[in-house]
Amino acid sequence: MPAPLIKPREGFADAYQAAIGAAFVAAKDAVEELTVTVTREGLVEACRIARDKFGYQQLMEIAGVDYPERPERFEVNYHLLSVTHNHRFRIKVTTDEDTPVPSVTSLWPVAGWLEREVFDLYGVTFAGNADLRRILTDYGFEGYPLRKDFPQTGYVELRYSEAEKRVVYEPVELPQDFRNFDFLMPWEGPEYRLPGDEKAVPQAPGAPSPAPAPSAPNVAAKAPPATPKTTDTPAKTGAGAKANKAAAKKTKTAPKGKKS
């Protein structure tokens, strides 16, 4: 059996439950990860005890989860890391659309950015966060994209307008280019031709219309001569006395040929 990714910290769950007291709601150890659910009112103190008493120095992440069928549909999960004990665990609180969760920015300043992300994507508000603005979507964005009931398509879309130098909202337009489906198999061949298919048909030079490809002339292969051609005398090569005499008339420096 392979070693667990996060080694259990012996006795931590019971000791932490006793330390946070009435803030404790439930504890669950599944898939080698410990999750402790606490009340909203006791969240900040539970995080402080985890940091100061049990050595969980770092807040690694704040993650939201949406369960629309629950009365308190949102879960906010705080992932903590102990560098000294090489251990991680999760603190969880639940809330609804209207009830804010206490901010933990007084314990970890990095929580300001993480809480803004959960607010932007889920709509969970954090009491005590001095800069609770959208961080991933535009400031004028409507809705919360990671809620399960957020529409997947339709309504409006946003883009940056170079003319207005700002993000603008426009009705969604879904272009339907090349949407004439014929439901033919690829090997049956469609009746339409997409851009680029004309390259598969030979083209006439300088014209866009299809034309038959030019064919090369047929050349009949000839057999080589039966015997190699040779020259036996200088006369057959064009050299000799006659050639030298003719060359002497053109230039005085031509060599004199011997009489044969």
Side-chain angles (χ1 to χ4, degrees):
M1 182 177 180
L5 298 178
I6 302 176
K7 295 182 179 180
R9 187 176 174 184
E10 297 297 335
F12 166 71
D14 296 334
Y16 182 68
Q17 176 180 348
I20 62 177
F24 178 83
V25 175
K28 182 179 181 181
D29 193 350
V31 293
E32 301 172 354
E33 294 183 3
L34 175 64
T35 302
V36 178
T37 304
V38 300
T39 62
R40 286 190 301 271
E41 296 77 11
L43 170 65
V44 177
E45 186 61 23
C47 290
R48 187 189 311 276
I49 293 174
R51 185 193 67 176
D52 298 342
K53 186 175 180 180
F54 293 94
Y56 289 87
Q57 302 93 348
Q58 296 187 11
L59 172 64
M60 305 302 297
E61 178 64 283
I62 300 178
V65 187
D66 183 20
Y67 296 95
E69 67 279 1
R70 298 180 181 178
E72 293 188 348
R73 60 184 293 182
F74 300 114
E75 290 183 355
V76 183
N77 298 273
Y78 299 78
H79 298 260
L80 306 183
L81 168 65
S82 174
V83 179
T84 54
H85 296 281
N86 190 26
H87 188 259
R88 299 172 185 261
F89 89 108
R90 182 186 302 110
I91 296 177
K92 178 171 65 176
V93 296
T94 60
T95 188
D96 54 25
E97 300 180 22
D98 302 321
T99 307
V101 175
S103 175
V104 294
T105 51
S106 60
L107 302 177
W108 296 286
V110 69
W113 290 70
L114 303 176
E115 290 172 353
R116 285 178 60 182
E117 182 179 353
V118 176
F119 163 73
D120 189 4
L121 300 180
Y122 291 94
V124 177
T125 57
F126 293 87
N129 189 316
D131 189 22
L132 197 62
R133 298 175 295 155
R134 290 187 179 271
I135 192 172
L136 296 178
T137 62
D138 179 58
Y139 294 142
F141 189 86
E142 297 180 2
Y144 305 99
L146 290 189
R147 286 188 178 184
K148 297 294 181 58
D149 51 6
F150 187 79
Q152 298 296 311
T153 60
Y155 303 107
V156 296
E157 61 183 357
L158 66 150
R159 66 174 180 86
Y160 181 79
S161 173
E162 285 290 346
E164 302 183 28
K165 301 300 180 183
R166 66 181 183 88
V167 175
V168 297
Y169 286 82
E170 297 175 336
V172 173
E173 295 182 2
L174 300 177
Q176 300 292 313
D177 297 338
F178 311 116
R179 303 289 286 184
N180 298 323
F181 297 111
D182 49 24
F183 301 102
L184 295 177
M185 296 298 178
W187 51 84
E188 294 177 346
E191 297 180 358
Y192 57 85
R193 177 176 296 172
L194 298 177
D197 289 351
E198 67 275 2
K199 298 179 182 179
V201 181
Q203 304 290 311
S209 59
S215 58
N218 295 329
V219 179
K222 296 181 179 179
T227 57
K229 184 179 180 180
T230 60
T231 55
D232 299 328
T233 62
K236 293 183 179 181
T237 64
K242 294 182 178 180
N244 292 338
K245 186 177 181 180
K249 295 179 180 180
K250 298 180 181 179
T251 174
K252 296 179 180 181
T253 59
K256 297 181 179 179
K258 294 181 180 181
K259 295 181 180 181
S260 57

